[in-house]
Amino acid sequence: MADGNEENLQKQIDEVEALSSIYGDEWCVIDEAARIFCIRISDPTDDQSKCTLCLQVILPPEYPATAPPIYQLNAPWLRGEDRVELCNHLEEIYLQNLGESILYQWVEKIREVLIEKSWSSNSADGNIKKTTEEDVSFEDELLEDYQPVQKMMNCTSTFLLFECPEDEELPPVSHGEPFTDRRSTFQAHLAPVVSPKQVKLVLNKLYENKKIASATHNIYAYRIHCENKQTFLQDCEDDGETAAGGRLLHLMQILDVRNVMVVVSRWFGGILLGPDRFKHINNCARNILVEHHCTLSRDDMPKHPGKNKKVKKDSKKHNDH
């Protein structure tokens, strides 16, 4: 097994060296030891195009022999069906090239999609939202992304390489109270989910709401407990709000929530909030999780009813004094 990992590592080194040579400054090493890399991809035919995308990857020890890269796509315009379609393209490339290095094919496929997107949006520039709060450089964004994405190494891969039942039903979606600070409004939405297909159903349902669809960012994260394997299927999405999805997922990990999805919509009001925006996103998420009793772990449940009864009795006795 160790020999296999050494062979994979050598292939990764060769692949990264080639990509660095091909893409130059577009290719960025976030953490070489942890095998975390990033590339910002744009439409080479249009210097003014707003269609850019940041592909961040973690190369696990089993890649490329037996496992795909763990990836995250960051682009403010990439949402809904566009995101699902692009992810399907990347997964199809992986399945057609099992055991081979595929990052170059991924990058070029994304670039192809960006070119098509740029052409189709020339007459509708207003529909593409620019990322707000651009108060950090690209390099700073990558460093900010690093910590939450590294935590994803313990998660199941973002590849959804298994079949979901065809009769999956849309779970009930709940909405939290909106919160406004300096003209930016935040609102959380919550749904119980037990499969990635339900995650997609929830997102599609939310995007049917014109107000939610028009939000500057719809950040989300979910955690699905796979009881048979005692593991979690979990993922997150920034939707252009750099590192927000990873922070949201980290909050859910700390609270040990299971089989639930949280989406936080933000409508930007024109005033930069700085780090406060992350606090508001997580506070909205925490409030709706608490409101729907999703944060109660098994350790918090009473294990000794008799003891609790005694405590209650003692408490009553104490109150009588």
Side-chain angles (χ1 to χ4, degrees), residues 18-257:
L19 292 172
S20 179
S21 175
I22 294 170
Y23 297 114
D25 293 339
E26 289 183 334
W27 180 262
C28 179
V29 179
I30 298 179
D31 189 322
E32 188 168 2
R35 313 305 295 157
I36 304 177
F37 306 92
C38 182
I39 180 170
R40 175 159 289 189
I41 309 166
S42 58
D43 175 7
T45 66
D46 185 359
D47 294 336
Q48 304 300 319
S49 174
K50 299 175 183 176
C51 290
T52 62
L53 183 147
C54 179
L55 169 66
Q56 189 163 323
V57 294
I58 300 173
L59 304 182
E62 300 81 10
Y63 172 79
T66 59
I70 300 170
Y71 70 95
Q72 183 172 339
L73 302 172
N74 291 323
W77 55 268
L78 186 65
R79 55 179 66 201
E81 292 182 1
D82 287 339
R83 173 175 291 279
V84 173
E85 184 177 358
L86 180 53
C87 289
N88 288 339
H89 283 315
L90 300 186
E91 293 171 14
E92 184 178 354
I93 290 173
Y94 169 71
L95 291 173
Q96 291 176 350
N97 298 273
L98 291 173
E100 299 179 14
S101 301
I102 58 168
L103 292 183
Y104 175 77
Q105 295 182 62
W106 275 10
V107 172
E108 291 308 306
K109 183 61 184 180
I110 293 172
R111 199 182 301 277
E112 178 185 318
V113 170
L114 290 180
I115 293 173
E116 293 176 359
K117 181 73 175 177
S118 179
W119 288 348
S120 64
S121 63
N122 281 338
S123 59
D125 288 339
N127 293 333
I128 301 176
K129 302 176 200 171
K130 295 183 69 176
T131 304
T132 61
E133 306 245 359
E134 294 177 344
D135 50 346
V136 292
S137 67
F138 177 45
E139 289 77 10
D140 290 338
E141 288 178 3
L142 297 179
L143 290 174
E144 191 174 8
D145 264 348
Y146 162 68
Q147 190 171 356
V149 173
Q150 187 183 32
K151 290 183 174 68
M152 291 174 62
M153 295 180 70
N154 296 322
C155 307
T156 304
S157 167
T158 53
F159 275 100
L160 308 179
L161 301 178
F162 58 91
E163 295 183 0
C164 299
E166 292 297 327
D167 58 347
E168 290 278 8
E169 294 184 359
L170 173 69
V173 182
S174 304
H175 307 280
E177 289 295 323
F179 170 81
T180 301
D181 177 21
R182 285 165 281 179
R183 297 192 301 187
S184 277
T185 300
F186 302 80
Q187 184 181 25
H189 321 279
L190 179 145
V193 293
V194 294
S195 73
K197 185 172 183 180
Q198 285 191 323
V199 171
K200 295 179 183 178
L201 289 174
V202 171
L203 288 174
N204 290 338
K205 180 64 177 178
L206 287 173
Y207 285 131
E208 288 177 6
N209 184 305
K210 292 183 179 180
K211 182 179 179 182
I212 295 174
S214 68
T216 314
H217 309 290
N218 281 302
I219 304 107
Y220 71 82
Y222 65 86
R223 300 188 82 216
I224 299 171
H225 186 226
C226 307
E227 292 186 7
N228 57 332
K229 297 181 180 179
Q230 291 301 305
T231 58
F232 284 92
L233 176 65
Q234 51 191 7
D235 198 6
C236 59
E237 168 56 35
D238 295 338
D239 194 25
E241 188 71 286
T242 304
R247 292 168 187 251
L248 177 58
L249 178 58
H250 186 44
L251 171 70
M252 295 172 70
Q253 291 170 335
I254 293 173
L255 297 176
D256 192 29
V257 299

Side-chain angles (χ1 to χ4, degrees), residues 256 296-303:
D256 192 29
L296 185 63
S297 68
R298 289 188 295 273
D299 292 336
D300 295 324
M301 296 179 181
K303 299 178 181 178

